[in-house]
Every structure is written in structure tokens, then in C-alpha cells.
Amino acid sequence: MIDLSRAGAVERPDGEGRAGGGACDDRVRFTIALDRGRLVAVRFGSDACPTTTSAAAWLAAGAEGRSLLDGARLGAAAAHAACDVAGARRACVEVAVDAFHAALGDAVVRGAAVPGTGRVAVAMSGGVDSAVALAEAPAEAFGVTLQLWIDPHAPDTDRACCAPGSVRRARDLCHQRGLPHLSLDLRDTFRDTIVAGFIAGYEAGETPNPCTACNGDFRLHELVAAASRLGAARVRTGHYARIVERDGVPLVARGADQSKDQSYMLARVPTDVLARLDFPLGDRTKPEVRERAAELGLAAAHARESQEVCFLGGGDYRTFLDRYGAAPAVGPIEDEAGRELGRHAGVGGFTPGQRRGIGVSAPEPLYVLRTEPARSAVIVAPLRRLGTRHVPLRGVAMHLERRQVDAKLRYRSPAVAASLHGDGPDRTLALQRDLFAVAPGQTAALYDGDAVVGCGTIA
């Protein structure tokens, strides 16, 4: 018999979650009430098959009376065993589990707190790096996954670190180790800030870097804030970077694996957030981490790499901009003298330094020099005309004031020695040698040795 004593809804819930799908196209809703971090009421409603309804009832009964974090230990494996299901019906149980965890995460997003200290939060993506970071974490650890917006038309959404499949893998890993897991649905906020900024940058003729913006202004802030409310002073992540201290200031520094180093992507993270982070993989290489995952018997040991720009889901940014940006305006492709060499279908598909896809012929190879969105023009020139030694920056944030730096102007480009001139948010980099394809909108990460001492946006 299914226990329906907790069927219904909390009138003014502290958290609410919904999920649908499975073999029977089920629909489940959970509402919860909290008192000082304890689940004092857990209610469910279902338009679902008996298997899904039974799983929802079991979750409600098992969670009520526990702390929010203890409730977050309940997951698919335990529900499968309790409801004695196998085969296709297991997907029905997943619907109930997804709805239940959506309610828990919603409570945290709304500001729920759990009394206590000494815990450690681990940022979970479902991949091998965060899996090892969790497996080596202290006993009082719990996992947190941010569910971020992904283009629903993307060709391979499951490769994104915040896709539904990735959230489930992260949750399952935590539960296999008997640890709580929380997934925080921040899709709307992420879309309205990071994704909207990406689109606006291209429409303004820039080449934005959404990953540095996400890490520096959004993702890690949200993780640290949520961890604080849940009694965790520290947040562990699977980044390939290190944290060093210079003059009493925490700075992000290059990781040991130069091919995977993510210090550039973390250049915009402010020092007060860095002071709360741990990067346990910073002194290891990717092969070492995969080997460690295999030693620990982690299913993620052979997981595919996630996409760099998660919300593209493996898609091309030009196609994405065609869907979500302003309607592309055709315009001229010109040389520096203003002579029209051809036509294009929209400036959003061009970035400084680009050679392929220009579609005009000339005696020597031509590259995109700049775009002029106001008149929908693309200006092209030979490579020698793209070199520059003077790079204006806006929004400069210095974690530690330095005048002589090594400037890294793209994720995949090498750093070049430079001097930084001016004060305040608008400054200029004087490079010691010409750099080509310097793109407005990209992040300039400023290093002193291995440590990032500041950053700015190329203007």
C-alpha cells in the first residue's frame, strides 16, 4: 500500500520543486516547510503511475523530521531499493527524486540556513575532477551543483557541466558516499546576466568571454553564499589552479598541468571569494586525476570533458547568436581604405584575427581587423596590420597593485611582458612585443610570475 498521509501541499512553502517525464510521463510536485534548518513538513502531489507515487511518498516520509542536509542524502538508489523497482520503472522513481531535490534546492536559493559549522561544500559538475575533489573531502562534506541555463536547441546538452544528466551524476556520486547533495536552480538569473551579457557583447562588436564573467561575477559567489548558509566555511572545486598568498592577499595561480591550467578563467574572482576556496587538484595533472579516480573506483574516471562555454551545449556561437541575438544585418566587408570587397550576413559572426569564413579573395591572406556594428561593417586587413603594442583596458580590478606584469589576452594565447599605465578602472597595457588579433571584450589576465594580480576587459 502507498502511504498517502503526506499527499497534499504546504500552504506557504519554504521550498517547492517539480519534475516530469519517465516511462509514464509522470508529474510530481514537492513542497516543504523548514524550521531552523529542519524539514518539519514534506508534502507531495503526483499525477503519476503507482511506482512514481510510491517513490514520492517514501521520500516525503523519509525526509520529514530530518535536517535539510540529512534529507539531501536521500536519492535514487535508496528509493529504488525501498520501492523494489527495476528496469524501465527506475526512470519513474527518478522523476520523484528530481522533484524532491528541486524543492530542497529551491529552499536554499530562497535563503534557507542550516545551523552548524565545520562543514565543507564541494562544487559538483558530474565530471571526474569534482568527483575526486569530493572523494578526498573531509567527512562533513556535501555536494552542491548549480543548474544553469543551457540552449534547449544545442546539439549536445549533456556535455554541459550543468545539464540535467550531469546534475544526476553528481547527486548519485554524493549519495554513493553517503553524503548530501543539493542542486540550485539558477537558470533564470544566469540567462539574464551571463548569457545576456554574452549576446550584448557580440552585438556591440566585441568578443566576450562568458567563462571569466561566470566565474568572476556569478558562479563562485553563489557557491560561497550558499555554503555559508549551510554551515560550510570552505568550498572545494575541481579547478586546475592553485591559491597562493602574496603580501597577505590570496591570489589564484597557475596549476601544475599547463595544458589544463584554469587560472585565466578565474582571473576575475575577487580576493574575498578566493579566501573561501580550495583547489585540491591544482598540483596535479589531468592524467593523475583520472588515475586517482580509477583507484577510488569512481564511475566518472572515464567521463567526457565538459564544454568550455556550457550554455552552448557543443553548438557554434554563430548559430546561437542567430537564434537569440538581434536579427543579423547584412553589410559590407571593407579594407582599411573603405573599399568594399564583399558582403556578409551579420557582424556577430566575426571576431578580430579571424581568417576563415571571410569569403573574399585578395592577393594576400586577409584577417578581420575590427567590426563596426553601427553600420554593420567588417574591416579586414593583412596580418601585419593586426599587430599592436598598446591595449586599452576597462573595468580593471587589481588584486595586488603591480606595474610590470605578464598579460594574457586570450585563454589559449601565451602571456607577454607588459607595463600597466594609469590608475582606476581605465588603464593601458604597453606590451613589449606586438600581439595580433587582440579582441575587444576579451579578458586580460595580469600575472606576476604564476599569480594573477589583476584583470580587465580589453576596450
mmCIF file of all heavy atoms in Angstrom, residues 284-313:
data_model
loop_
_atom_site.group_PDB
_atom_site.id
_atom_site.type_symbol
_atom_site.label_atom_id
_atom_site.label_comp_id
_atom_site.label_asym_id
_atom_site.label_seq_id
_atom_site.Cartn_x
_atom_site.Cartn_y
_atom_site.Cartn_z
ATOM 1 N N ARG A 284 48.200 18.786 -9.481
ATOM 2 C CA ARG A 284 48.171 17.518 -10.212
ATOM 3 C C ARG A 284 47.870 17.740 -11.691
ATOM 4 O O ARG A 284 47.348 18.780 -12.087
ATOM 5 C CB ARG A 284 47.101 16.591 -9.625
ATOM 6 C CG ARG A 284 47.366 16.197 -8.182
ATOM 7 C CD ARG A 284 46.335 15.218 -7.689
ATOM 8 N NE ARG A 284 45.623 15.732 -6.540
ATOM 9 C CZ ARG A 284 44.720 15.058 -5.846
ATOM 10 N NH1 ARG A 284 44.408 13.823 -6.193
ATOM 11 N NH2 ARG A 284 44.115 15.607 -4.806
ATOM 12 N N THR A 285 48.186 16.735 -12.492
ATOM 13 C CA THR A 285 47.854 16.766 -13.907
ATOM 14 C C THR A 285 46.554 16.000 -14.134
ATOM 15 O O THR A 285 46.120 15.213 -13.288
ATOM 16 C CB THR A 285 48.961 16.129 -14.750
ATOM 17 O OG1 THR A 285 49.045 14.726 -14.437
ATOM 18 C CG2 THR A 285 50.312 16.791 -14.485
ATOM 19 N N LYS A 286 45.961 16.236 -15.288
ATOM 20 C CA LYS A 286 44.713 15.545 -15.611
ATOM 21 C C LYS A 286 44.885 14.029 -15.623
ATOM 22 O O LYS A 286 44.040 13.306 -15.053
ATOM 23 C CB LYS A 286 44.189 16.023 -16.971
ATOM 24 C CG LYS A 286 42.834 15.471 -17.352
ATOM 25 C CD LYS A 286 41.735 16.190 -16.592
ATOM 26 C CE LYS A 286 40.364 15.772 -17.062
ATOM 27 N NZ LYS A 286 39.299 16.667 -16.600
ATOM 28 N N PRO A 287 45.948 13.476 -16.239
ATOM 29 C CA PRO A 287 46.127 12.017 -16.180
ATOM 30 C C PRO A 287 46.240 11.499 -14.746
ATOM 31 O O PRO A 287 45.730 10.415 -14.435
ATOM 32 C CB PRO A 287 47.425 11.786 -16.969
ATOM 33 C CG PRO A 287 47.485 12.937 -17.926
ATOM 34 C CD PRO A 287 46.925 14.102 -17.166
ATOM 35 N N GLU A 288 46.899 12.260 -13.875
ATOM 36 C CA GLU A 288 46.999 11.850 -12.471
ATOM 37 C C GLU A 288 45.631 11.824 -11.800
ATOM 38 O O GLU A 288 45.331 10.929 -10.997
ATOM 39 C CB GLU A 288 47.945 12.786 -11.719
ATOM 40 C CG GLU A 288 49.403 12.629 -12.100
ATOM 41 C CD GLU A 288 50.284 13.709 -11.503
ATOM 42 O OE1 GLU A 288 49.749 14.736 -11.028
ATOM 43 O OE2 GLU A 288 51.516 13.534 -11.496
ATOM 44 N N VAL A 289 44.801 12.786 -12.139
ATOM 45 C CA VAL A 289 43.463 12.839 -11.545
ATOM 46 C C VAL A 289 42.621 11.667 -12.039
ATOM 47 O O VAL A 289 41.905 11.031 -11.262
ATOM 48 C CB VAL A 289 42.788 14.186 -11.866
ATOM 49 C CG1 VAL A 289 41.317 14.168 -11.466
ATOM 50 C CG2 VAL A 289 43.516 15.315 -11.148
ATOM 51 N N ARG A 290 42.698 11.351 -13.328
ATOM 52 C CA ARG A 290 41.939 10.209 -13.849
ATOM 53 C C ARG A 290 42.430 8.901 -13.216
ATOM 54 O O ARG A 290 41.635 8.018 -12.894
ATOM 55 C CB ARG A 290 42.067 10.135 -15.372
ATOM 56 C CG ARG A 290 41.273 11.218 -16.096
ATOM 57 C CD ARG A 290 41.017 10.840 -17.538
ATOM 58 N NE ARG A 290 40.264 11.855 -18.253
ATOM 59 C CZ ARG A 290 38.940 11.982 -18.229
ATOM 60 N NH1 ARG A 290 38.216 11.145 -17.491
ATOM 61 N NH2 ARG A 290 38.346 12.928 -18.929
ATOM 62 N N GLU A 291 43.744 8.792 -13.035
ATOM 63 C CA GLU A 291 44.295 7.600 -12.390
ATOM 64 C C GLU A 291 43.805 7.484 -10.945
ATOM 65 O O GLU A 291 43.437 6.409 -10.477
ATOM 66 C CB GLU A 291 45.827 7.649 -12.424
ATOM 67 C CG GLU A 291 46.492 6.409 -11.841
ATOM 68 C CD GLU A 291 48.011 6.482 -11.911
ATOM 69 O OE1 GLU A 291 48.537 7.426 -12.533
ATOM 70 O OE2 GLU A 291 48.667 5.585 -11.335
ATOM 71 N N ARG A 292 43.743 8.615 -10.258
ATOM 72 C CA ARG A 292 43.256 8.620 -8.881
ATOM 73 C C ARG A 292 41.778 8.228 -8.833
ATOM 74 O O ARG A 292 41.351 7.477 -7.948
ATOM 75 C CB ARG A 292 43.454 10.009 -8.280
ATOM 76 C CG ARG A 292 42.918 10.183 -6.867
ATOM 77 C CD ARG A 292 43.573 9.244 -5.880
ATOM 78 N NE ARG A 292 43.159 9.537 -4.518
ATOM 79 C CZ ARG A 292 43.187 8.668 -3.526
ATOM 80 N NH1 ARG A 292 43.594 7.410 -3.740
ATOM 81 N NH2 ARG A 292 42.813 9.012 -2.315
ATOM 82 N N ALA A 293 41.001 8.723 -9.788
ATOM 83 C CA ALA A 293 39.577 8.379 -9.842
ATOM 84 C C ALA A 293 39.391 6.881 -10.062
ATOM 85 O O ALA A 293 38.506 6.254 -9.457
ATOM 86 C CB ALA A 293 38.894 9.170 -10.948
ATOM 87 N N ALA A 294 40.237 6.295 -10.908
ATOM 88 C CA ALA A 294 40.152 4.853 -11.141
ATOM 89 C C ALA A 294 40.513 4.080 -9.879
ATOM 90 O O ALA A 294 39.873 3.072 -9.544
ATOM 91 C CB ALA A 294 41.064 4.465 -12.299
ATOM 92 N N GLU A 295 41.547 4.548 -9.147
ATOM 93 C CA GLU A 295 41.923 3.897 -7.888
ATOM 94 C C GLU A 295 40.774 3.907 -6.889
ATOM 95 O O GLU A 295 40.571 2.948 -6.133
ATOM 96 C CB GLU A 295 43.133 4.623 -7.266
ATOM 97 C CG GLU A 295 44.439 4.447 -8.012
ATOM 98 C CD GLU A 295 45.536 5.313 -7.410
ATOM 99 O OE1 GLU A 295 45.241 6.061 -6.445
ATOM 100 O OE2 GLU A 295 46.683 5.254 -7.903
ATOM 101 N N LEU A 296 40.013 5.011 -6.892
ATOM 102 C CA LEU A 296 38.898 5.157 -5.959
ATOM 103 C C LEU A 296 37.634 4.460 -6.449
ATOM 104 O O LEU A 296 36.624 4.452 -5.738
ATOM 105 C CB LEU A 296 38.608 6.646 -5.730
ATOM 106 C CG LEU A 296 39.715 7.438 -5.017
ATOM 107 C CD1 LEU A 296 39.450 8.939 -5.128
ATOM 108 C CD2 LEU A 296 39.800 7.023 -3.548
ATOM 109 N N GLY A 297 37.689 3.916 -7.655
ATOM 110 C CA GLY A 297 36.525 3.220 -8.196
ATOM 111 C C GLY A 297 35.398 4.144 -8.592
ATOM 112 O O GLY A 297 34.220 3.755 -8.563
ATOM 113 N N LEU A 298 35.730 5.362 -9.000
ATOM 114 C CA LEU A 298 34.704 6.348 -9.350
ATOM 115 C C LEU A 298 34.241 6.148 -10.786
ATOM 116 O O LEU A 298 35.057 6.021 -11.705
ATOM 117 C CB LEU A 298 35.253 7.766 -9.184
ATOM 118 C CG LEU A 298 35.761 8.131 -7.777
ATOM 119 C CD1 LEU A 298 36.332 9.548 -7.779
ATOM 120 C CD2 LEU A 298 34.646 8.006 -6.757
ATOM 121 N N ALA A 299 32.935 6.140 -10.986
ATOM 122 C CA ALA A 299 32.381 5.963 -12.326
ATOM 123 C C ALA A 299 32.792 7.092 -13.261
ATOM 124 O O ALA A 299 32.838 6.918 -14.481
ATOM 125 C CB ALA A 299 30.855 5.875 -12.249
ATOM 126 N N ALA A 300 33.103 8.250 -12.685
ATOM 127 C CA ALA A 300 33.466 9.416 -13.500
ATOM 128 C C ALA A 300 34.897 9.350 -14.028
ATOM 129 O O ALA A 300 35.328 10.263 -14.745
ATOM 130 C CB ALA A 300 33.296 10.693 -12.681
ATOM 131 N N ALA A 301 35.635 8.290 -13.720
ATOM 132 C CA ALA A 301 37.048 8.211 -14.108
ATOM 133 C C ALA A 301 37.243 8.375 -15.605
ATOM 134 O O ALA A 301 38.252 8.910 -16.056
ATOM 135 C CB ALA A 301 37.651 6.885 -13.639
ATOM 136 N N HIS A 302 36.275 7.927 -16.400
ATOM 137 C CA HIS A 302 36.408 7.989 -17.855
ATOM 138 C C HIS A 302 35.351 8.898 -18.472
ATOM 139 O O HIS A 302 35.027 8.757 -19.661
ATOM 140 C CB HIS A 302 36.327 6.581 -18.446
ATOM 141 C CG HIS A 302 37.314 5.626 -17.842
ATOM 142 N ND1 HIS A 302 38.675 5.722 -18.061
ATOM 143 C CD2 HIS A 302 37.145 4.569 -16.988
ATOM 144 C CE1 HIS A 302 39.298 4.757 -17.394
ATOM 145 N NE2 HIS A 302 38.394 4.055 -16.732
ATOM 146 N N ALA A 303 34.810 9.819 -17.693
ATOM 147 C CA ALA A 303 33.783 10.723 -18.192
ATOM 148 C C ALA A 303 34.359 11.667 -19.230
ATOM 149 O O ALA A 303 35.536 12.048 -19.191
ATOM 150 C CB ALA A 303 33.183 11.531 -17.040
ATOM 151 N N ARG A 304 33.530 12.058 -20.200
ATOM 152 C CA ARG A 304 33.948 13.011 -21.219
ATOM 153 C C ARG A 304 34.170 14.385 -20.600
ATOM 154 O O ARG A 304 33.595 14.717 -19.567
ATOM 155 C CB ARG A 304 32.877 13.136 -22.311
ATOM 156 C CG ARG A 304 32.679 11.896 -23.143
ATOM 157 C CD ARG A 304 31.778 12.204 -24.325
ATOM 158 N NE ARG A 304 30.470 12.713 -23.931
ATOM 159 C CZ ARG A 304 29.589 13.243 -24.776
ATOM 160 N NH1 ARG A 304 29.889 13.342 -26.065
ATOM 161 N NH2 ARG A 304 28.402 13.675 -24.348
ATOM 162 N N GLU A 305 34.996 15.180 -21.293
ATOM 163 C CA GLU A 305 35.215 16.552 -20.857
ATOM 164 C C GLU A 305 33.950 17.380 -21.101
ATOM 165 O O GLU A 305 33.253 17.180 -22.101
ATOM 166 C CB GLU A 305 36.376 17.180 -21.639
ATOM 167 C CG GLU A 305 37.723 16.537 -21.359
ATOM 168 C CD GLU A 305 38.244 16.880 -19.976
ATOM 169 O OE1 GLU A 305 38.444 18.061 -19.682
ATOM 170 O OE2 GLU A 305 38.433 15.943 -19.193
ATOM 171 N N SER A 306 33.667 18.315 -20.209
ATOM 172 C CA SER A 306 32.541 19.211 -20.417
ATOM 173 C C SER A 306 32.937 20.325 -21.380
ATOM 174 O O SER A 306 34.118 20.550 -21.646
ATOM 175 C CB SER A 306 32.069 19.815 -19.088
ATOM 176 O OG SER A 306 33.107 20.571 -18.506
ATOM 177 N N GLN A 307 31.923 21.025 -21.904
ATOM 178 C CA GLN A 307 32.168 22.123 -22.823
ATOM 179 C C GLN A 307 32.728 23.334 -22.087
ATOM 180 O O GLN A 307 32.386 23.587 -20.943
ATOM 181 C CB GLN A 307 30.856 22.512 -23.510
ATOM 182 C CG GLN A 307 30.272 21.407 -24.376
ATOM 183 C CD GLN A 307 31.098 21.144 -25.617
ATOM 184 O OE1 GLN A 307 31.794 22.022 -26.108
ATOM 185 N NE2 GLN A 307 31.036 19.931 -26.118
ATOM 186 N N GLU A 308 33.589 24.106 -22.779
ATOM 187 C CA GLU A 308 34.119 25.318 -22.158
ATOM 188 C C GLU A 308 33.018 26.350 -21.951
ATOM 189 O O GLU A 308 32.902 26.941 -20.881
ATOM 190 C CB GLU A 308 35.248 25.889 -23.019
ATOM 191 C CG GLU A 308 36.537 25.072 -22.938
ATOM 192 C CD GLU A 308 37.638 25.653 -23.788
ATOM 193 O OE1 GLU A 308 37.446 26.755 -24.352
ATOM 194 O OE2 GLU A 308 38.699 25.022 -23.908
ATOM 195 N N VAL A 309 32.218 26.625 -22.987
ATOM 196 C CA VAL A 309 31.081 27.538 -22.851
ATOM 197 C C VAL A 309 29.853 26.659 -22.659
ATOM 198 O O VAL A 309 29.264 26.160 -23.598
ATOM 199 C CB VAL A 309 30.928 28.452 -24.079
ATOM 200 C CG1 VAL A 309 29.748 29.406 -23.896
ATOM 201 C CG2 VAL A 309 32.213 29.248 -24.314
ATOM 202 N N CYS A 310 29.472 26.480 -21.402
ATOM 203 C CA CYS A 310 28.499 25.437 -21.069
ATOM 204 C C CYS A 310 27.160 25.642 -21.752
ATOM 205 O O CYS A 310 26.554 24.683 -22.241
ATOM 206 C CB CYS A 310 28.319 25.345 -19.557
ATOM 207 S SG CYS A 310 27.717 26.868 -18.770
ATOM 208 N N PHE A 311 26.671 26.881 -21.828
ATOM 209 C CA PHE A 311 25.311 27.066 -22.319
ATOM 210 C C PHE A 311 25.180 26.866 -23.823
ATOM 211 O O PHE A 311 24.069 26.769 -24.341
ATOM 212 C CB PHE A 311 24.756 28.434 -21.901
ATOM 213 C CG PHE A 311 25.542 29.620 -22.392
ATOM 214 C CD1 PHE A 311 25.363 30.121 -23.662
ATOM 215 C CD2 PHE A 311 26.433 30.265 -21.554
ATOM 216 C CE1 PHE A 311 26.081 31.224 -24.114
ATOM 217 C CE2 PHE A 311 27.149 31.377 -21.978
ATOM 218 C CZ PHE A 311 26.964 31.853 -23.266
ATOM 219 N N LEU A 312 26.297 26.786 -24.552
ATOM 220 C CA LEU A 312 26.235 26.479 -25.973
ATOM 221 C C LEU A 312 25.980 24.995 -26.221
ATOM 222 O O LEU A 312 25.568 24.617 -27.318
ATOM 223 C CB LEU A 312 27.523 26.908 -26.676
ATOM 224 C CG LEU A 312 27.822 28.403 -26.718
ATOM 225 C CD1 LEU A 312 29.105 28.659 -27.488
ATOM 226 C CD2 LEU A 312 26.679 29.181 -27.333
ATOM 227 N N GLY A 313 26.246 24.147 -25.230
ATOM 228 C CA GLY A 313 25.967 22.720 -25.368
ATOM 229 C C GLY A 313 26.605 22.087 -26.592
ATOM 230 O O GLY A 313 25.997 21.244 -27.255
#
